[in-house]
Amino acid sequence: MAELSKFQAFVQCKCPRCRKGDIFTGSAYSFRLQKTNVNCPHCNLKFEREPGFFYVAMFVSYAMNVAEIITIGVASYVLGLPLIYENLWYYVSLILTGVLLLSPINYRYSRVVLLHYLTPGLHYVPGSGD
């Protein structure tokens, strides 16, 4: 099996150290509750580096939500929804629907961003877990 690049491991939600083990059980949009694995199934890396480690992911998720809200609002305007007071509830409903539909992705990728890019000292080690 060919080694994944850092970007491929990020997109596929793979372990940042071995790039082979899954960070999550299940898919983002399944009827099963998505859950973060405690350890990497391949190299046994503990994902929660310290108690409360994933609380920082809330800040990443907040930034992602703000970007999504701005994108949905601007896209609605560009696609022809006039920015007038009578259309306020259309904008609110579109933004809330978009945020609710993207919340599983935000949950997943805020943790992946934290592990892959914002954790100092956590780097790819070729052959780890073999």
Side-chain angles (χ1 to χ4, degrees):
M1 183 170 130
E3 292 185 11
L4 296 175
S5 69
K6 184 168 184 140
F7 182 72
Q8 288 172 324
F10 171 80
V11 169
Q12 295 177 16
C13 300
K14 299 292 184 181
C15 172
R17 184 164 69 183
C18 67
R19 295 183 184 169
K20 294 180 183 172
D22 292 325
I23 296 174
F24 298 97
T25 59
S27 67
Y29 292 104
S30 67
F31 289 111
R32 283 186 355 166
L33 182 66
Q34 67 173 316
K35 184 179 166 194
T36 306
N37 288 325
V38 175
N39 294 328
C40 174
H42 191 264
C43 70
N44 206 30
L45 170 72
K46 184 173 173 152
F47 291 130
E48 189 168 4
R49 311 294 288 165
E50 59 190 31
F53 177 73
F54 286 121
Y55 283 122
V56 178
M58 289 189 305
F59 297 108
V60 176
S61 179
Y62 176 75
M64 292 168 70
N65 270 319
V66 169
E68 291 162 4
I69 288 168
I70 292 170
T71 302
I72 292 169
V74 170
S76 300
Y77 177 74
V78 169
L79 292 175
L81 187 61
L83 190 57
I84 55 176
Y85 182 75
E86 288 77 20
N87 290 337
L88 174 68
W89 288 109
Y90 290 121
Y91 276 98
V92 170
S93 62
L94 282 170
I95 288 171
L96 286 178
T97 303
V99 166
L100 286 175
L101 288 175
L102 292 172
S103 64
I105 300 294
N106 287 347
Y107 170 80
R108 185 172 280 240
Y109 281 101
S110 64
R111 290 177 177 227
V112 174
V113 165
L114 180 63
L115 283 170
H116 276 268
Y117 296 108
L118 301 176
T119 303
L122 185 58
H123 303 290
Y124 173 58
V125 179
S128 61
D130 290 337

